Amino acid sequence: MSYQVAVLAGDGIGPEVMAEARKVLSAVEERFSLAIEYTSFDVGGAAIDNHGCPLPEATLKGCEGADAILFGSVGGPKWEHLPPNDQPERGALLPLRGHFELFCNIRPAKLHQGLEHMSPLRSDISAKGFDVLCVRELTGGIYFGKPKGRQGEGENEEAFDTMRYSRKEIERIAHIAFEAAQGRRKKVTSVDKANVLACSVLWREVVEDVAKDYPDVELEHIYIDNATMQLLRRPNEFDVMLCSNLFGDIISDEVAMLTGSMGLLSSVSMNSQGFGLYEPAGGSAPDIAGQGIANPVAQILSAALLLRHSLKEEAAAVAIEVAVSKALRDGYLTGELLTSDQRNQAKSTSEMGDYIAQVV
Amino acid sequence: MSYQVAVLAGDGIGPEVMAEARKVLSAVEERFSLAIEYTSFDVGGAAIDNHGCPLPEATLKGCEGADAILFGSVGGPKWEHLPPNDQPERGALLPLRGHFELFCNIRPAKLHQGLEHMSPLRSDISAKGFDVLCVRELTGGIYFGKPKGRQGEGENEEAFDTMRYSRKEIERIAHIAFEAAQGRRKKVTSVDKANVLACSVLWREVVEDVAKDYPDVELEHIYIDNATMQLLRRPNEFDVMLCSNLFGDIISDEVAMLTGSMGLLSSVSMNSQGFGLYEPAGGSAPDIAGQGIANPVAQILSAALLLRHSLKEEAAAVAIEVAVSKALRDGYLTGELLTSDQRNQAKSTSEMGDYIAQVV
Ligand SMILES: CC(C)[C@H](C(=O)O)[C@@H](O)C(=O)O
Ligand SMILES: CC(C)[C@H](C(=O)O)[C@@H](O)C(=O)O
């Protein structure tokens, strides 16, 4: 029996970092005698160019037949003139999340030892390190709430969006946050705006209820505005951050930037059957695409997450993570992680992939 | 003829910093021969304790009879058990904003020369300084949009909020941002989430339209998630940031924290008749209340903004701002702005007020 993985490399640096992830996957497949079949599909701008829409029917069907999706990145200046609904990011990611009910987005952001200088934080703050896991609800809230639209004319023309959360939706994402915290530093910080939003009041109530099942985990609530601030002063005091869709979008990006090394961060978006979409945290970076300098680590770590969460091949996942750590420790770094006087030691995209595949 | 100012000192450090602002106001009144009458009213927790609600009728009436409101700060642990609607912050600030249609919130955040070490940013980033003006829409969006509420039962119980913006609402706040930019570095960064929200798509269209009236001002659009990130890497590249209510809440707090000196920041919330509410950016800080160590500068600068925007007494406003700058340059600083080995030189709340009142 072999696993089926749908590969959606996408645009910009997507294809070149995906090639390195495939190299590393081949190496672990051999080492752990796994059988994985890969099928590639167009997505994003590439799909617009080839088929006229960012998420063609064939791609969706291909994903339906797979055990997991390994996603690259989508978007670029070429498609920015299109109406919002037809653009690569919104037109591919949101329907994929909705179609497969990928309600749970997990984004780890850790400041790697030795890379503290990359963080935009003051040295005494970054010296303390941090390791935050952002658990974001991904199929509810203001992203998908109905009604959403536009009405009226002239100066009274108005637009509206609906933020909407049910007890059920909040419960299932809260459980995931608490379970994750049990395997970590046992603290959940729930982010809301309960002093303004009805959704946040319900959110807070439900999270309090769910917390009762996890007496070993500490729970605190924080307003989104204050969270944005406290992450700057004391990121090391956060463990798991539990967020609604919109607040998670903001918080996970802020924490990712605080590491200063987005090229090392990956994320998973999962449904309740363990089917997931695995992708790097950074974007398609069209400005550096095709130059062989993009960091493939985030894509490679996405592959590790895929092995762990969707294929349940924990040993293979760990092997990749260990190999990546070794590569970073051995000074295998792409240019963006080096200071300008070290830049001549920068490794290329494929040198990174080769080394990691070799030590895996 | 004399001006009428409603003084709402509130809770925590509110009353003590307000006392210093009053000292400084007395000094400028004398110097510029102004006649200002002050009437104090209860608000927030103090009003809950004395009258059973955070914004009593008498306070509202008093504000209606005034030319402007000088606001301290509200809230504290004593009132945190109350239902969200009855809590000091939400129960006082939101109705005041709504009642007087204070649609325009302006929050300057500047990294003061000599205080770069206070910023949580890496020294090479803070060394470049920054000076951001956040222009936030304050009476629309998801804060006030209807319907807002709760329905259903059991696991299907759900809560909902409505984000709603009309062309008219976006236009008036956009004009304020562009006018402000004309007097500054001539750049407006409009923050939205147009890849997800219908409101943001309209927001972007209207801002583009308004921009045509200001050909000398550069306009750029940025997604809220990316804005949160870029402020960490290159805050110096932003001038005026134009935000909806919710995004402005987040962005203005993030930028305030980036200065590392919230005790120096004040803000104004205005309506189209020039009536305004002036307040410090920081909160009521109950942990340090009553110790005489709170920084009164933000409250004093709120008074300067009040003189400028509501009373049109520009010279008196400038005099206060110059006096504050002199005090900071002369090393008059409260403890939170000093490193631990300088802490013995810290000035008290009243020493700060005395000095500023004296040099004004
Ligand atoms: C592209 C966009 C719709 C998306 C989001 O807002 O969720 C992105 O920012 C993300 O976080 O994956
Ligand atoms: C207290 C709260 C309702 C308020 C807001 O969200 O507007 C506060 O955070 C602010 O920014 O003035």
Side-chain angles (χ1 to χ4, degrees):
Chain A
M1 166 214 144
S2 84
Y3 298 118
Q4 302 292 330
V5 170
V7 176
L8 277 56
D11 310 317
I13 60 170
E16 50 196 294
V17 294
M18 188 62 84
E20 304 311 314
R22 293 288 299 276
K23 256 186 215 167
V24 175
L25 278 166
S26 292
V28 286
E29 277 167 67
E30 194 166 327
R31 180 167 156 203
F32 293 90
S33 308
L34 308 176
I36 309 184
E37 261 180 51
Y38 303 91
T39 322
S40 295
F41 299 97
D42 281 338
V43 75
I48 294 175
D49 292 353
N50 295 337
H51 317 276
C53 78
L55 186 66
E57 197 52 37
T59 301
L60 207 56
K61 279 270 164 310
C63 294
E64 281 174 357
D67 298 302
I69 303 169
L70 190 58
F71 195 91
S73 50
V74 292
K78 186 171 172 192
W79 307 282
E80 268 166 16
H81 67 279
L82 294 172
N85 268 329
D86 303 339
Q87 287 188 17
E89 296 89 342
R90 175 164 174 179
L93 277 175
L94 296 189
L96 277 171
R97 291 175 188 169
H99 183 81
F100 292 103
E101 235 195 300
L102 307 175
F103 73 91
C104 164
N105 181 223
I106 300 188
R107 305 200 190 190
K110 185 177 160 175
L111 191 53
H112 280 266
Q113 254 198 335
L115 291 179
E116 291 85 355
H117 62 279
M118 292 302 304
S119 168
L121 289 174
R122 210 170 61 205
S123 54
D124 60 311
I125 303 177
S126 60
K128 293 186 191 144
F130 63 82
D131 180 356
V132 174
L133 188 78
C134 190
V135 175
R136 169 186 176 194
E137 201 291 326
L138 204 60
T139 48
I142 203 163
Y143 275 61
F144 293 90
K146 295 268 161 9
K148 183 193 267 299
R150 218 146 138 167
Q151 66 191 18
E153 262 171 61
E155 62 165 24
N156 290 321
E157 186 184 7
E158 61 167 27
F160 45 91
D161 297 271
T162 304
M163 185 182 276
R164 193 182 289 279
Y165 268 114
S166 70
R167 187 173 286 276
K168 197 164 46 178
E169 283 175 305
I170 304 169
E171 260 168 16
R172 65 178 178 179
I173 192 74
H175 278 292
I176 290 185
F178 281 95
E179 277 158 26
Q182 284 188 320
R184 296 171 44 103
R185 300 196 310 284
K186 301 194 167 39
K187 183 172 167 186
V188 168
T189 303
S190 174
V191 179
D192 66 35
K193 185 77 191 173
N195 51 356
V196 170
L197 303 177
C199 284
S200 288
V201 173
L202 179 62
W203 182 275
R204 218 173 245 229
E205 276 178 37
V206 176
V207 172
E208 289 279 353
D209 276 354
V210 170
K212 293 186 189 124
D213 295 348
Y214 306 84
D216 53 330
V217 178
E218 181 197 344
L219 167 65
E220 67 177 13
H221 303 279
I222 190 168
Y223 295 140
I224 175 70
D225 46 333
N226 195 24
T228 318
M229 294 200 287
Q230 297 310 320
L231 275 171
L232 303 176
R233 275 197 338 136
R234 45 182 187 91
N236 61 323
E237 293 179 22
F238 295 94
D239 179 15
V240 173
M241 300 191 78
L242 168 60
C243 305
S244 61
N245 207 342
L246 182 60
F247 296 160
D249 180 44
I250 297 168
I251 291 293
S252 62
D253 269 356
E254 181 183 12
V255 192
M257 181 55 95
L258 289 179
T259 69
S261 47
M262 296 264 273
L264 302 180
L265 303 179
S266 53
S267 87
V268 43
S269 306
M270 256 195 313
N271 67 20
S272 47
Q273 288 87 51
F275 179 86
L277 180 155
Y278 300 81
E279 62 177 326
S284 61
D287 50 317
I288 60 160
Q291 300 175 35
I293 60 173
N295 192 335
V297 166
Q299 189 74 65
I300 292 168
L301 289 174
S302 306
L305 290 177
L306 184 154
L307 288 166
R308 169 171 300 126
H309 295 293
S310 286
L311 309 191
K312 309 289 174 202
E313 296 286 352
E314 176 69 18
V318 170
I320 292 181
E321 288 165 349
V322 168
V324 165
S325 292
K326 178 166 164 53
L328 298 178
R329 256 198 336 272
D330 292 352
Y332 267 71
L333 299 169
T334 41
E336 92 284 3
L337 296 178
L338 294 164
T339 57
S340 46
D341 48 309
Q342 305 169 316
R343 203 67 40 101
N344 58 345
Q345 301 156 32
K347 297 293 183 281
S348 71
T349 307
S350 63
E351 282 171 324
M352 291 291 298
D354 288 342
Y355 189 76
I356 295 167
Q358 182 196 316
V359 302
V360 90
Chain B
M1 164 213 142
S2 85
Y3 298 117
Q4 303 292 329
V5 171
V7 176
L8 277 57
D11 310 316
I13 61 170
E16 51 195 295
V17 295
M18 188 63 84
E20 304 311 314
R22 293 288 300 275
K23 256 185 215 168
V24 175
L25 279 167
S26 292
V28 286
E29 277 166 67
E30 195 166 324
R31 179 164 157 206
F32 293 91
S33 309
L34 307 178
I36 308 184
E37 262 179 51
Y38 302 92
T39 321
S40 294
F41 299 96
D42 282 337
V43 74
I48 294 175
D49 291 352
N50 296 338
H51 317 275
C53 78
L55 186 67
E57 197 52 37
T59 301
L60 207 55
K61 281 267 165 311
C63 293
E64 281 174 357
D67 298 303
I69 303 170
L70 192 57
F71 195 92
S73 51
V74 292
K78 186 171 172 191
W79 307 282
E80 269 166 16
H81 66 281
L82 294 172
N85 268 330
D86 303 338
Q87 287 188 19
E89 296 89 341
R90 177 166 172 177
L93 276 175
L94 296 190
L96 277 170
R97 291 175 188 169
H99 183 81
F100 292 104
E101 235 195 300
L102 307 175
F103 74 91
C104 164
N105 181 223
I106 301 188
R107 306 200 190 189
K110 186 178 159 174
L111 191 54
H112 280 266
Q113 254 198 335
L115 291 179
E116 290 85 355
H117 62 281
M118 294 301 305
S119 169
L121 288 175
R122 207 171 62 206
S123 54
D124 61 311
I125 303 177
S126 60
K128 292 185 192 148
F130 62 82
D131 180 355
V132 174
L133 189 78
C134 190
V135 175
R136 170 185 175 194
E137 201 290 327
L138 204 60
T139 48
I142 202 164
Y143 275 62
F144 293 90
K146 294 267 161 11
K148 182 192 268 299
R150 215 146 140 170
Q151 67 191 19
E153 261 169 63
E155 63 165 23
N156 290 322
E157 186 183 9
E158 61 167 26
F160 45 90
D161 297 273
T162 304
M163 184 181 276
R164 194 181 289 280
Y165 268 113
S166 71
R167 186 171 286 276
K168 195 163 49 181
E169 282 175 305
I170 303 169
E171 259 169 18
R172 66 178 178 180
I173 192 72
H175 278 292
I176 290 184
F178 281 96
E179 277 158 26
Q182 283 186 321
R184 297 171 42 102
R185 300 194 312 283
K186 300 197 168 42
K187 182 173 168 188
V188 168
T189 303
S190 175
V191 178
D192 66 36
K193 185 78 190 171
N195 50 356
V196 170
L197 303 177
C199 284
S200 288
V201 173
L202 179 62
W203 182 276
R204 217 173 248 228
E205 274 178 39
V206 176
V207 172
E208 289 279 351
D209 276 354
V210 170
K212 294 188 189 124
D213 294 349
Y214 305 85
D216 53 331
V217 178
E218 181 198 343
L219 168 64
E220 67 176 12
H221 303 280
I222 191 169
Y223 295 140
I224 174 69
D225 46 333
N226 196 24
T228 319
M229 295 200 286
Q230 298 309 321
L231 276 171
L232 303 175
R233 275 197 337 137
R234 46 182 188 89
N236 62 322
E237 292 179 23
F238 295 94
D239 179 15
V240 174
M241 298 190 79
L242 168 61
C243 306
S244 61
N245 206 343
L246 181 61
F247 296 159
D249 180 43
I250 297 168
I251 291 293
S252 62
D253 269 358
E254 181 182 12
V255 194
M257 180 55 93
L258 288 180
T259 69
S261 48
M262 296 263 273
L264 301 179
L265 303 180
S266 53
S267 88
V268 43
S269 306
M270 257 192 316
N271 67 19
S272 48
Q273 287 88 51
F275 179 86
L277 179 155
Y278 300 82
E279 61 178 326
S284 60
D287 49 316
I288 60 160
Q291 300 176 34
I293 60 173
N295 192 336
V297 166
Q299 189 73 65
I300 292 169
L301 289 175
S302 306
L305 290 178
L306 184 155
L307 289 166
R308 169 172 301 125
H309 295 294
S310 285
L311 308 192
K312 309 288 174 203
E313 295 287 353
E314 177 69 17
V318 170
I320 293 181
E321 288 165 347
V322 169
V324 165
S325 291
K326 178 167 165 51
L328 298 178
R329 255 197 337 272
D330 293 351
Y332 267 72
L333 298 170
T334 40
E336 92 283 3
L337 295 179
L338 294 164
T339 56
S340 46
D341 49 308
Q342 304 169 317
R343 201 68 41 98
N344 59 345
Q345 301 157 32
K347 297 293 183 283
S348 71
T349 307
S350 63
E351 282 172 326
M352 292 292 295
D354 288 342
Y355 188 76
I356 296 168
Q358 182 196 316
V359 302
V360 90

